[in-house]
Amino acid sequence: MSLKKVNPTNTKSWENLSLHFSDIKKKHLDSLFKEDKKRKDNFTISFEDFEIDFSRNRITKETIQKLIALAKEVHLEDAIEKLYRGEEINETERRAVLHTILRSQESNVCKKNRERFYEVQNTLERIKYFSEEVNNGKWKGFSGKKITDIVNIGIGGSDLGPKMVVEALSNYKTELNTHFISNIDSDFLENYTQKLNPETTIFIVVSKSFSTLETKLNAEYFKNWFLKETNNATLKHNFIAVSTNTNACDTFGICKENIFPMWNWVGGRFSLWSAVGLSISLSIGFDNFKQLLEGADEMDTHFSSAPFEENIPVLLGLIGIWYNNFFNVDSELVIPYSQFLESFVPYLQQLSMESNGKSVDRNGDKIDYQTGTIVWGSVGTNSQHAYMQLIHQGTKLVPVDFIGFKNTMFGNTSLHKQFMANMYGQADALCFGKSKNKVHLDLKVDKKSEEISKVLPYKIFEGNKPSTIIMIDQLSPKSLGKLIAMYEHKVFVQGVIWNIFSFDQFGVELGKENSNKMISNLI
Ligand code: F6P
């Protein structure tokens, strides 16, 4: 059964939200906090080791009620049920969307999806076995040496997710060194091969279609390099594939027992939980990979069962729509205050923008309202020395998601306190700003009045710039799994409400077609 197809702008809730927006658009956050001394508590949701502080958003309780009314009027509950039931909600490709069963407990999988669930479990067993064999030295390269390096060859969802997780969890790494090759830059590849020993390196070719040009070219590059360096040794000890396209893997020269499956009911940008995450399991060990899956499963349970008023992905999605469609902002900024999450935003960009960058609705009609927003960002505190000037004092309104951690992994609390104080300092500066009077008082301390009048206008901070603070106890495989699933479900919520199809990506095809035509002219 397909999703219901309601144009959100034709709903009564949308009309009510527009009227409500006119009432509160000028309301300053400073006054909202003054009116409700318990605003922080009243707008914070705790879910296990997550604490989501929505209080610095341009919302009131009435806003939330009206947003939830919109979600209900466009049948979000029905959509969530169909997602988990494995209905063909990816209608344009006639597929189910079942990344959730990659991490489910059997008890949560409906009868209809049991067959797929068992395929997943069988694959997890293979991932476990292979990860253990490589890490304990039983799986050896063609010349009988222990494996030291893993090279993941893939792009988009076959690269960004696994790369981000491996980097984020580098404190959990095994002795294996894991590398990610995605781009077709021959100088970069030449340089890279100098670091690799063909005897002790496993190349994992990850491609759902096994037809992505970059991945095919890179896989050929490394295969030719390997055969040249080893005088045509067999591939079977050093080349693995993850794909739905076993024929193409076979043609490439990867033996059948080295092919891990992918399924067409898992979108590429939702696939790190499958064998696409083989490099993750090799890099951090299967037990930690399982912890990642369990974290995501906990967020799945929260998303599918929590009432919308306390449902973190639903509220994140709705508040994003409030800014995108009523404040007419063009982008949202994500700033993780963790150096380990340096690749989190590039991953999120594909997840969000490849899913919701659409302009035709689920009825096939051209859309006349805003949909997918531009996601950007980088780690804090570096962001404070790059683009935060614009966010504080520029002309654009850019809502921010701050991601922080209460505890470190190694206990250096004084520096960590400074780190988190920076994040809160940014959020408060954005929210409350600095008034003309306050600036004047500060300047009066050591400046003469004519100097003050010159510089004062430039030192005022309007404030009223929204942010959400996502505070997590500690970065771990489990909490990372929860964080990723939280954003997966936020993206799903927004796609449902915008009445678009979030699980195809036809927009990436024309560029590929053109490049293929050009290549035939160039070569
Ligand atoms: O960017 C387009 C896209 O199809 C993504 O959706 C996908 O993750 C990526 O290319 C790689 O696709 P494949 O895994 O089939 O090589």
Side-chain angles (χ1 to χ4, degrees):
M1 286 213 290
S2 58
L3 295 177
K4 296 188 190 300
K5 299 174 169 58
V6 178
N7 178 333
T9 61
N10 295 342
T11 61
K12 183 70 183 148
S13 317
W14 195 275
E15 187 189 331
N16 291 341
L17 280 162
S18 300
L19 295 170
H20 177 62
F21 174 69
S22 305
D23 291 345
I24 77 157
K25 64 185 175 188
K26 293 226 185 313
K27 194 96 176 161
H28 200 291
L29 279 163
D30 194 40
S31 53
L32 290 176
F33 272 91
K34 285 194 171 86
E35 287 161 21
D36 175 4
K37 297 293 177 235
K38 299 190 70 161
R39 183 175 171 87
K40 183 187 181 306
D41 294 342
N42 290 336
F43 285 86
T44 294
I45 292 179
S46 294
F47 167 61
E48 293 172 1
D49 53 341
F50 275 47
E51 186 183 271
I52 318 290
D53 179 353
F54 292 102
S55 64
R56 296 177 186 79
N57 280 290
R58 306 273 292 267
I59 56 174
T60 62
K61 282 298 181 190
E62 189 184 357
T63 317
I64 295 297
Q65 282 154 12
K66 290 180 171 7
L67 285 168
I68 288 173
L70 171 65
K72 291 184 173 170
E73 198 169 348
V74 298
H75 309 289
L76 178 60
E77 288 126 312
D78 171 68
I80 294 171
E81 281 165 21
K82 285 174 178 166
L83 169 72
Y84 283 92
R85 265 209 317 269
E87 304 291 351
E88 283 191 357
I89 61 171
N90 177 0
E91 280 181 54
T92 50
E93 296 180 311
R94 300 180 59 71
R95 294 171 178 172
V97 175
L98 273 170
H99 45 280
T100 49
I101 65 165
L102 297 173
R103 62 244 187 164
S104 283
Q105 311 297 320
E106 182 164 7
S107 53
N108 296 337
V109 178
C110 62
K111 196 161 173 298
K112 175 167 177 278
N113 296 323
R114 279 285 157 82
E115 200 47 48
R116 287 167 165 162
F117 176 76
Y118 296 135
E119 283 180 62
V120 169
Q121 295 311 304
N122 175 273
T123 304
L124 283 172
E125 278 306 310
R126 288 188 59 199
I127 293 169
K128 175 178 169 38
Y129 178 76
F130 184 68
S131 302
E132 287 168 354
E133 290 284 289
V134 172
N135 270 296
N136 64 26
K138 287 192 183 148
W139 178 293
K140 297 199 173 17
F142 74 93
S143 61
K145 286 184 181 170
K146 185 172 160 34
I147 299 300
T148 58
D149 291 81
I150 303 292
V151 177
N152 185 94
I153 302 172
I155 198 165
S158 299
D159 166 72
L160 290 166
K163 180 173 185 286
M164 176 269 293
V165 172
V166 164
E167 282 180 11
L169 300 177
S170 49
N171 281 315
Y172 293 81
K173 83 177 282 294
T174 61
E175 287 172 23
L176 291 173
N177 301 309
T178 310
H179 316 264
F180 291 87
I181 296 288
S182 50
N183 207 349
I184 45 174
D185 178 335
S186 54
D187 284 343
F188 183 82
L189 298 183
E190 282 296 325
N191 175 280
Y192 224 94
T193 51
Q194 287 157 31
K195 302 176 195 167
L196 299 174
N197 174 353
E199 294 183 83
T200 63
T201 300
I202 284 180
F203 298 91
I204 309 178
V205 184
V206 186
S207 178
K208 184 174 172 183
S209 60
F210 221 89
S211 66
T212 302
L213 179 71
E214 295 93 334
T215 302
K216 283 170 63 179
L217 291 172
N218 284 335
E220 284 296 334
Y221 177 89
F222 280 104
K223 180 172 83 170
N224 296 335
W225 170 79
F226 176 84
L227 293 173
K228 182 165 71 65
E229 292 294 311
T230 63
N231 196 17
N232 295 323
T234 170
L235 301 183
K236 78 176 187 177
H237 303 286
N238 297 78
F239 277 78
I240 305 288
V242 181
S243 185
T244 58
N245 191 341
T246 47
N247 291 338
C249 296
D250 187 41
T251 308
F252 178 81
I254 292 178
C255 49
K256 281 206 178 349
E257 60 271 22
N258 284 13
I259 302 171
F260 287 77
M262 272 180 84
W263 302 284
N264 67 20
W265 36 267
V266 175
R269 50 193 175 273
F270 297 87
S271 63
L272 68 86
W273 323 96
S274 70
V276 167
L278 186 57
S279 54
I280 300 171
S281 179
L282 286 161
S283 174
I284 64 174
F286 182 78
D287 289 346
N288 286 319
F289 182 65
K290 269 302 268 170
Q291 284 289 307
L292 183 82
L293 299 184
E294 282 171 22
D297 185 41
E298 284 180 12
M299 183 56 75
D300 292 345
T301 304
H302 167 75
F303 176 54
S304 61
S305 59
F308 285 177
E309 293 74 11
E310 301 151 29
N311 193 308
I312 294 168
V314 169
L315 292 172
L316 286 169
L318 287 170
I319 291 170
I321 285 178
W322 178 237
Y323 295 127
N324 190 63
N325 293 87
F326 295 89
F327 280 89
N328 291 320
V329 303
D330 288 324
S331 75
E332 55 190 35
L333 173 54
V334 178
I335 309 181
Y337 272 69
S338 166
Q339 196 60 35
F340 293 111
L341 292 178
E342 206 170 10
S343 297
F344 191 73
V345 170
Y347 157 77
L348 214 45
Q349 286 179 319
Q350 185 201 12
L351 176 69
S352 179
M353 294 160 78
E354 193 165 89
S355 295
N356 291 339
K358 312 288 170 64
S359 56
V360 175
D361 72 17
R362 295 202 293 263
N363 294 306
D365 298 325
K366 186 74 180 141
I367 283 172
D368 60 0
Y369 50 86
Q370 289 299 313
T371 58
T373 189
I374 296 164
V375 175
W376 62 290
S378 62
V379 296
T381 62
N382 303 56
S383 51
Q384 299 166 210
H385 305 273
Y387 45 75
M388 287 307 285
Q389 162 64 42
L390 181 142
I391 312 302
H392 284 289
Q393 291 189 321
T395 57
K396 293 181 175 34
L397 186 66
V398 183
V400 186
D401 276 6
F402 289 106
I403 301 170
F405 296 90
K406 281 187 188 140
N407 307 305
T408 65
M409 288 176 257
F410 300 120
N412 180 340
T413 50
S414 59
L415 193 56
H416 186 68
K417 280 183 184 151
Q418 297 267 13
F419 197 19
M420 292 304 111
N422 266 276
M423 182 181 77
Y424 279 102
Q426 291 295 309
D428 280 353
L430 290 170
C431 178
F432 302 110
K434 190 172 183 179
S435 69
K436 184 175 175 184
N437 293 342
K438 182 80 181 57
V439 173
H440 192 270
L441 277 174
D442 288 356
L443 290 173
K444 247 170 65 170
V445 169
D446 61 358
K447 289 202 180 341
K448 296 191 183 61
S449 55
E450 61 276 10
E451 277 181 285
I452 291 173
S453 56
K454 267 211 184 83
V455 78
L456 185 135
Y458 306 102
K459 289 196 171 254
I460 294 168
F461 286 72
E462 275 172 25
N464 217 15
K465 315 263 186 192
S467 68
T468 297
I469 294 186
I470 296 147
M471 203 61 180
I472 302 167
D473 280 0
Q474 187 178 61
L475 179 57
S476 67
K478 196 165 202 175
S479 66
L480 182 62
K482 224 174 274 180
L483 180 67
I484 297 166
M486 182 189 86
Y487 276 107
E488 285 181 340
H489 295 315
K490 172 191 175 182
V491 165
F492 173 77
V493 165
Q494 295 188 324
V496 169
I497 293 171
W498 283 325
N499 190 27
I500 55 179
F501 288 123
S502 297
F503 298 100
D504 57 29
Q505 52 284 324
F506 301 120
V508 302
E509 289 172 8
L510 182 58
K512 291 183 186 177
E513 284 164 27
N514 291 347
S515 60
N516 288 333
K517 283 181 202 146
M518 282 171 192
I519 287 173
S520 50
N521 296 337
L522 288 175
I523 298 173

